[in-house]
Amino acid sequence: MKTILTGIRSNSVLTLGNYLGALVPMVRLANKHSDEMNVNIFVPDLHSIIADIDGNLQENIVRTIKYYLAAGLKINKNVHIYRQSYVPAHSELCWILNCVATMGETSRMTQYKEKSEGRESVNVGIFDYPILMAADILLYSAEYVPIGEDQFQHIELARNLAMRFNHRFDAEIFTIPLKTTEQIKFMGVSDGIRIRDLLNPEKKMSKSTKAENSKIMLNDAPELAAKKIMSATTDSYGKVKFDMWAQPGISNLLQIEALINDIPLQDVISTWAGETRYGELKKKVAESVKKELTEFQERLNKISNEEVYELFDFGEEYANKIANKKLLEVQKAFKLR
Ligand code: TRP
């Protein structure tokens, strides 16, 4: 059986951008495939500690899984939910892959460059982040790794490490994850989804942006979220058109509308093509966001911590079994065993 694998860091409450760009598409994919594929959804808690954590990490971890459930994730025996640090093979394989990866390729990672730029002191974890991520993927022979556009480079690195390793030992030890172009096809989106900052739509929506009106947090009051949409930056063209370069604000609203209502982006684009009253589009999107957040929060509040811990029990037993088996093959290749 093939494996779909994904994870999302739990350093804070997530934004609507994380929800629409990562969580919801992942949940739809998982529900579509969980009858015939393994679906591994894990919390990369070891990745979390490279940076500051808002609030309590334990609470954040449990909340992240509740997000998936509230977003509609259906659970069956092929769905495995686990915490990275509860599967020690991840750190072990990370070390081994450290000895396969080069400083050059790891230094080229955009995320590392961005996160370390201008800082006096940068922890090694930030540098090593994509190697641990490669271990997360390769331990489970996952071919499908649905993630946001900002992580594509890391997938390419994981592929390169896997191929180099296999070549070095002349054995098919690792399954090579699909190329990012294939990942995009599998996800069924035309491109990486990237929800924009509401005030500065040329940037990605990020929880670390100071301006409250730039971002919608998943725990925002739905009414407030609607207001933020109404005050989103648009442009002076005066005609609705999907054009991320020239009209990023309007394009972002169209994207949000499509994702929330699970309508193909093309359909939303044609519905609104040529509309000259931006206010009408904003009103519609504000309504969609308000409704979605209201329903999402209601579902979220009904999920108990116990429910999540039960999923961890099941998922971590599975994950350790699969991961340890792969790790042993790798250790044997290096004659560590
Ligand atoms: N880097 C991902 C993020 O920032 C999280 C992550 C860690 C991940 N390991 C992964 C995603 C493996 C997919 C597969 O959201």
Side-chain angles (χ1 to χ4, degrees):
M1 219 157 55
K2 302 206 172 199
T3 297
I4 311 180
L5 178 143
T6 199
I8 206 163
R9 281 201 289 147
S10 341
N11 289 49
S12 64
V13 172
L14 296 183
T15 66
L16 184 73
N18 303 128
Y19 178 72
L20 294 178
L23 263 156
V24 167
M26 178 57 202
V27 165
R28 286 179 186 149
L29 267 187
N31 289 348
K32 185 165 154 199
H33 295 288
S34 64
D35 284 335
E36 87 277 5
M37 288 191 196
N38 288 309
V39 172
N40 291 8
I41 295 182
F42 78 105
V43 186
D45 52 356
L46 294 171
H47 277 115
S48 282
I49 63 172
I50 63 150
D52 291 340
I53 289 157
D54 295 346
N56 175 311
L57 181 57
Q58 285 301 314
E59 284 168 18
N60 293 358
I61 290 169
V62 172
R63 192 181 53 231
T64 301
I65 297 307
K66 288 184 180 178
Y67 281 156
Y68 281 102
L69 299 172
L73 180 69
K74 293 207 202 87
I75 301 296
N76 69 22
K77 62 172 191 350
N78 296 333
V79 178
H80 311 105
I81 310 251
Y82 53 95
R83 292 162 289 188
Q84 185 184 39
S85 75
Y86 281 71
V87 189
H90 289 242
S91 326
E92 185 71 19
L93 181 60
C94 175
W95 177 261
I96 295 175
L97 292 176
N98 278 338
C99 305
V100 175
T102 67
M103 293 293 289
E105 66 191 340
T106 313
S107 310
R108 278 197 297 277
M109 294 293 116
T110 313
Q111 180 175 302
Y112 161 67
K113 287 197 271 186
E114 282 173 5
K115 284 202 194 305
S116 57
E117 201 184 289
R119 290 226 237 146
E120 218 167 86
S121 150
V122 175
N123 72 59
V124 177
I126 294 181
F127 180 71
D128 211 20
Y129 184 108
I131 314 292
L132 178 58
M133 185 163 161
D136 298 338
I137 298 167
L138 300 178
L139 279 174
Y140 301 91
S141 308
E143 283 176 72
Y144 303 103
V145 188
I147 28 119
E149 162 188 75
D150 60 330
Q151 300 294 317
F152 286 174
Q153 213 186 9
H154 294 163
I155 299 291
E156 293 301 330
L157 179 65
R159 283 170 48 81
N160 289 336
L161 295 179
M163 290 189 275
R164 191 177 310 150
F165 187 97
N166 286 352
H167 182 75
R168 175 153 163 185
F169 295 103
D170 194 21
E172 295 297 307
I173 293 176
F174 289 129
T175 300
I176 315 297
L178 295 185
K179 287 197 191 111
T180 46
T181 46
E182 300 295 317
Q183 301 285 355
I184 292 170
K185 268 193 222 149
F186 178 70
M187 287 187 265
V189 294
S190 55
D191 209 338
I193 300 168
R194 183 187 224 203
I195 302 300
R196 310 297 174 118
D197 181 301
L198 296 175
L199 297 182
N200 300 296
E202 44 305 313
K203 292 193 314 191
K204 183 179 160 175
M205 183 184 287
S206 159
K207 66 120 188 83
S208 48
T209 308
K210 290 271 169 344
E212 287 301 324
N213 282 346
S214 279
K215 57 192 178 184
I216 292 176
M217 305 306 299
L218 287 180
N219 59 353
D220 274 356
E223 195 60 54
L224 173 67
K227 286 211 183 94
K228 291 181 179 178
I229 294 288
M230 292 308 292
S231 67
T233 301
T234 52
D235 55 65
S236 52
Y237 284 86
K239 223 177 212 168
V240 172
K241 187 168 170 240
F242 188 85
D243 182 337
M244 270 300 179
W245 286 107
Q247 300 183 246
I250 288 294
S251 306
N252 192 36
L253 293 178
L254 293 169
Q255 177 82 268
I256 293 174
E257 177 68 5
L259 289 166
I260 286 189
N261 297 298
D262 197 13
I263 310 172
L265 179 60
Q266 272 315 319
D267 294 2
V268 175
I269 293 173
S270 20
T271 304
W272 290 92
E275 171 65 63
T276 53
R277 294 159 303 170
Y278 286 174
E280 293 302 306
L281 174 64
K282 280 187 171 178
K283 255 192 257 166
K284 177 67 178 63
V285 178
E287 231 172 76
S288 297
V289 168
K290 187 173 148 188
K291 179 163 179 284
E292 180 74 9
L293 267 193
T294 306
E295 292 171 1
F296 173 78
Q297 291 171 359
E298 269 170 25
R299 291 192 298 267
L300 190 68
N301 292 334
K302 283 198 196 119
I303 304 164
S304 70
N305 291 1
E306 288 67 41
E307 217 173 301
V308 175
Y309 283 113
E310 270 171 36
L311 292 172
F312 284 149
D313 281 347
F314 173 73
E316 283 157 12
E317 194 186 321
Y318 165 88
N320 273 297
K321 202 172 77 199
I322 303 293
N324 286 338
K325 209 167 140 209
K326 184 55 71 185
L327 177 63
L328 184 60
E329 285 178 54
V330 172
Q331 289 168 326
K332 282 183 174 162
F334 264 115
K335 302 283 180 279
L336 288 161
R337 293 289 183 276

